[in-house]
Amino acid sequence: MSFGPHLLLATLEGLVTAAVLALTALGLSLVFGVMRVVNVAHGEFFMLGAVLAWFFSTLVTGSPAVGFLLALVLSPLVVGLVALVCERAVLRRLNYDPEATIVATIGMLYIIQQLALTFYGPEARPVQAPFNLRIALPWFGYSGYKLAVIVASIGLILATWLVLTRTRIGLVMRATQFDRETAQNFGIPVDKVYAAVFALGAMLAAVAAVLIVPIQQAHYLMGLDPLLLSFIVVIIGGLGSLRGTVVAAVLIGLSDGIISVFFSPTLAKMIATLLVALVLVFRPQGLFGQAAR
Amino acid sequence: MAGRATTRALLLHLAVLAALVLLYWILPDYHRGVLARVLVLAVFAAGYNIVFGYAGQLSLGHAMFFAAGIYGAGLPVYHLDWGVGAAFATGVGAGALLALVVGMLALRTTGVAFMIVTMMFSQVFYLTTLYFTQWTRGEEGLVLPQAARRLALPGLEIDLSDPASRYFVAVALFSVVLMASFAIVRAPFGRVLVAIRENEERVRMLGYDVFSNKLAAMVISGAFCAAAGAAYAVLFGYIGSTFAAIQYSILPLLWVLLGGAGTVLGPLLGTVFMFYVVDITSGYTSAYLLIVGVALIVLVLFFPKGVLGTIRERWLKWLP
């Protein structure tokens, strides 16, 4: 293959990465934005989503589409429930103290990871794609499912955006994010908003994971990479800014896809991580965010 | 009065060190080996304690300083046939230098951002060890030949792979770091660090240079952690990327939290306790990460001050 098609392939792969990353990072960004809490266990909610997707898809026999749809509905619900329990049992008792919640979510990370290893095992297991369609491009055939992932992700992000900007629930969330105490004075049940946002953030990660398992197999250690990449995206995009998060996800996903096709993936990760750390040092509000109030 | 408290504290620390020496003749073989390893890791925890416990900066990247010590000492021994003494010094120097550079950048941020930045720098270090797999052998790691692990002093040569000398070298290193921590905490510098932890703005208002003090804490901490890493490399003869992974940034946090952040003996207590908990439970289950996770959550929910922190609060006010 010559350079042009190669670049096209890299771009497509990058877009798939970006689509999944945007959803995952959106969850992290939402939790940080509204609750001012860094959820280190976010990657494990992603992993849990993938592992549960495998579990649910094995429950039904017959068409892979049925199993996949079942996973797409049930897996995020279960992950949301787990997150809700974590929030009520631990984070709320810590009063959302930033450093204590970091330590506690590290604890959750280990617990979820170990439980996945114990009950799911160390193997990587695939989930069948709901449909098998190859789209023939002039230079190579490309998986139709991957394109569907991109479309689905765009749809979900738009839905999240609509909920946040056009509905009462979204208004309540934004009010809590803007000023917790004033929101409380206006009768907003901040406590319940926190619980809902934490669960929603985990569910977004779980949906992203269900979308990716037909491409990348479910494995109990798969949570670390999305966690670090989501951190990177959320930082570059400006903590708590939805638009910035999506732009940054596309940027990071594309460059990750393109750099790893042409250079060593380890080197790509090294450079990206270093650059992001420097962004955080010299421009803490992110490339697209506004300075903190 | 302050003098009496210092004498009492000094006696307590010397007694702990004496007990560690005596334990060699009391403990069975297996536990001697465990304790030697635990002491080296306790040095790592003590280094972490300077930045986290005293200066109050939550770092999630201290694995890079430990690994800088491991590689700084291990690579010259393996590839260049250096002596153990020179290699150890290189390891400590590498850690201190890395801490200086990372500190100068990361300390511009505070709180959550500091945690993420240190974690990312550490991740870059980890990826670097994987990238130069030609020299480091990545995850697989390198085993230092036994012949290279000899400490040549004027007049005698110590074989560091021998269990007895390994034990006493570990005790010696731990003693140095423990007494150094004790001296730092008692010194005006240590008081400034605690003041920064309690109220950074007020310290700045009083005219102290907060940044330089934090940076100094970072370099000392980096040097201690690197000393632990360098000692680990030459005593146990194995260097690998695993030691740079994020897990080794979280373990010292756990040990220090458990023993009591901001107490001199806390890191030792936390490391010993956690090591044995994992050791004993691994007889029944392989799920040791579960124990680490539960321990972190229980600690942060119910005992945020750790064992010695709680004891100090309740009974022994003079404990440094």
Side-chain angles (χ1 to χ4, degrees):
Chain A
M1 260 193 310
S2 60
F3 181 77
H6 223 117
L7 187 66
L8 179 64
L9 181 64
T11 311
L12 282 172
E13 291 290 314
L15 278 176
V16 176
T17 312
V20 175
L21 186 56
L23 278 179
T24 318
L26 198 57
L28 194 70
S29 172
L30 210 58
V31 169
F32 184 85
V34 176
M35 303 168 69
R36 299 280 140 188
V37 154
V38 175
N39 178 15
V40 184
H42 196 66
E44 301 318 304
F45 290 136
F46 180 88
M47 179 274 288
L48 201 58
V51 167
L52 285 172
W54 172 83
F55 173 73
F56 286 126
S57 70
T58 52
L59 287 183
V60 281
T61 46
S63 160
V66 179
F68 181 81
L69 283 178
L70 189 71
L72 194 58
V73 174
L74 287 185
S75 169
L77 281 180
V78 175
V79 171
L81 205 64
V82 171
L84 197 64
V85 170
C86 289
E87 203 274 343
R88 291 286 93 172
V90 180
L91 298 194
R92 189 163 72 127
R93 285 163 178 242
L94 294 173
N95 217 0
Y96 309 104
D97 173 70
E99 298 200 336
T101 41
I102 288 171
V103 177
T105 50
I106 292 173
M108 289 174 196
L109 180 158
Y110 281 139
I111 293 174
I112 297 174
Q113 207 172 74
Q114 184 68 57
L115 290 178
L117 176 63
T118 310
F119 292 105
Y120 172 80
E123 304 89 3
R125 298 195 174 108
V127 172
Q128 256 192 317
F131 56 86
N132 216 337
L133 176 74
R134 280 197 90 71
I135 293 171
L137 297 176
W139 313 276
F140 52 85
Y142 198 71
S143 152
Y145 177 72
K146 286 188 181 178
L147 295 178
V149 167
I150 300 175
V151 174
S153 166
I154 292 173
L156 281 166
I157 290 168
L158 279 178
T160 313
W161 181 73
L162 283 176
V163 167
L164 279 178
T165 54
R166 297 283 186 276
T167 65
R168 205 184 136 66
I169 300 171
L171 183 67
V172 165
M173 281 186 190
R174 281 184 293 138
T176 312
Q177 164 164 11
F178 194 74
D179 189 332
R180 176 186 172 173
E181 268 148 31
T182 313
Q184 195 145 27
N185 285 346
F186 276 80
I188 291 174
V190 168
D191 189 52
K192 283 187 186 137
V193 173
Y194 276 21
V197 165
F198 197 75
L200 185 65
M203 285 168 80
L204 280 170
V207 171
V210 177
L211 289 176
I212 200 73
V213 268
I215 301 168
Q216 181 198 336
Q217 305 185 336
H219 186 253
Y220 82 104
L221 286 178
M222 72 192 293
L224 185 62
D225 269 357
L227 175 72
L228 290 174
L229 280 175
S230 300
F231 270 150
I232 293 178
V233 164
V234 170
I235 290 164
I236 297 262
L239 293 161
S241 140
L242 191 141
R243 197 168 36 117
T245 303
V246 174
V247 174
V250 173
L251 201 74
I252 297 285
L254 269 184
S255 52
D256 190 64
I258 293 173
I259 296 174
S260 11
V261 165
F262 293 105
F263 302 96
S264 132
T266 313
L267 187 64
K269 261 193 228 160
M270 265 163 71
I271 294 171
T273 316
L274 194 62
L275 284 180
V276 168
L278 294 177
V279 165
L280 195 52
V281 168
F282 292 106
R283 222 187 125 75
Q285 71 273 35
L287 292 181
F288 303 99
Q290 287 127 24
R293 283 178 296 125
Chain B
M1 194 203 79
R4 253 186 63 195
T6 308
T7 321
R8 209 187 286 172
L10 189 64
L11 285 177
L12 174 71
H13 289 75
L14 290 175
V16 168
L17 292 180
L20 284 175
V21 173
L22 287 178
L23 273 175
Y24 179 78
W25 287 279
I26 298 168
L27 288 177
D29 264 353
Y30 170 73
H31 292 281
R32 274 183 216 156
V34 169
L35 199 56
R37 200 173 291 257
V38 166
L39 282 173
V40 173
L41 294 175
V43 170
F44 182 19
Y48 185 76
N49 193 26
I50 301 281
V51 161
F52 172 63
Y54 288 103
Q57 308 295 309
L58 202 164
S59 148
L60 280 185
H62 264 56
M64 68 181 142
F65 305 131
F66 186 66
I70 286 201
Y71 281 108
L75 289 181
V77 170
Y78 189 86
H79 290 290
L80 306 172
D81 295 324
W82 281 20
V84 164
F88 182 81
T90 317
V92 176
L97 187 67
L98 184 66
L100 181 70
V101 175
V102 167
M104 269 161 55
L105 291 167
L107 285 172
R108 292 169 56 107
T109 65
T110 51
V112 170
F114 180 76
M115 169 220 122
I116 298 179
V117 168
T118 47
M119 186 172 90
M120 289 194 155
F121 278 126
S122 184
Q123 188 67 14
V124 172
F125 190 95
Y126 171 64
L127 290 171
T128 311
T129 63
L130 291 183
Y131 186 69
F132 293 102
T133 188
Q134 207 181 335
W135 290 289
T136 63
R137 289 255 142 267
E139 299 270 2
E140 189 188 317
L142 301 167
V143 175
L144 302 183
Q146 200 178 337
R149 286 156 54 202
R150 290 176 167 278
L151 180 60
L153 294 175
L156 87 161
E157 200 179 61
I158 304 172
D159 178 8
L160 293 177
S161 57
D162 168 57
S165 51
R166 190 189 279 174
Y167 185 89
F168 286 109
V169 168
V171 171
L173 178 69
F174 180 74
S175 308
V176 170
V177 167
L178 186 79
M179 293 329 282
S181 299
F182 184 74
I184 289 170
V185 171
R186 288 275 148 183
F189 170 60
R191 305 274 170 168
V192 174
L193 291 187
V194 172
I196 291 174
R197 178 186 75 197
E198 297 301 328
N199 192 336
E200 192 172 322
E201 285 310 311
R202 187 175 293 177
V203 176
R204 188 170 288 129
M205 197 191 75
L206 287 173
Y208 288 97
D209 186 346
V210 170
F211 184 82
S212 317
N213 276 294
K214 280 203 232 170
L215 188 61
M218 193 81 172
V219 172
I220 293 171
S221 169
F224 283 0
C225 295
Y232 201 94
V234 294
L235 289 180
F236 302 101
Y238 170 74
I239 58 178
S241 292
T242 337
F243 295 116
I246 188 157
Q247 212 155 326
Y248 274 83
S249 293
I250 291 167
L251 284 175
L253 169 69
L254 173 62
W255 296 328
V256 169
L257 269 179
L258 179 61
T263 61
V264 173
L265 285 170
L268 173 67
L269 194 70
T271 316
V272 170
F273 191 80
M274 208 57 222
F275 207 91
Y276 272 101
V277 165
V278 169
D279 196 55
I280 292 166
T281 49
S282 64
Y284 304 100
T285 161
S286 59
Y288 92 95
L289 281 181
L290 192 71
I291 294 156
V292 173
V294 171
L296 279 171
I297 291 179
V298 168
L299 273 173
V300 86
L301 269 181
F302 303 109
F303 307 99
K305 292 191 159 61
V307 177
L308 284 183
T310 310
I311 289 180
R312 170 165 62 187
E313 198 174 57
R314 293 264 173 85
W315 300 292
L316 308 176
K317 297 266 190 297
W318 49 268
L319 210 63

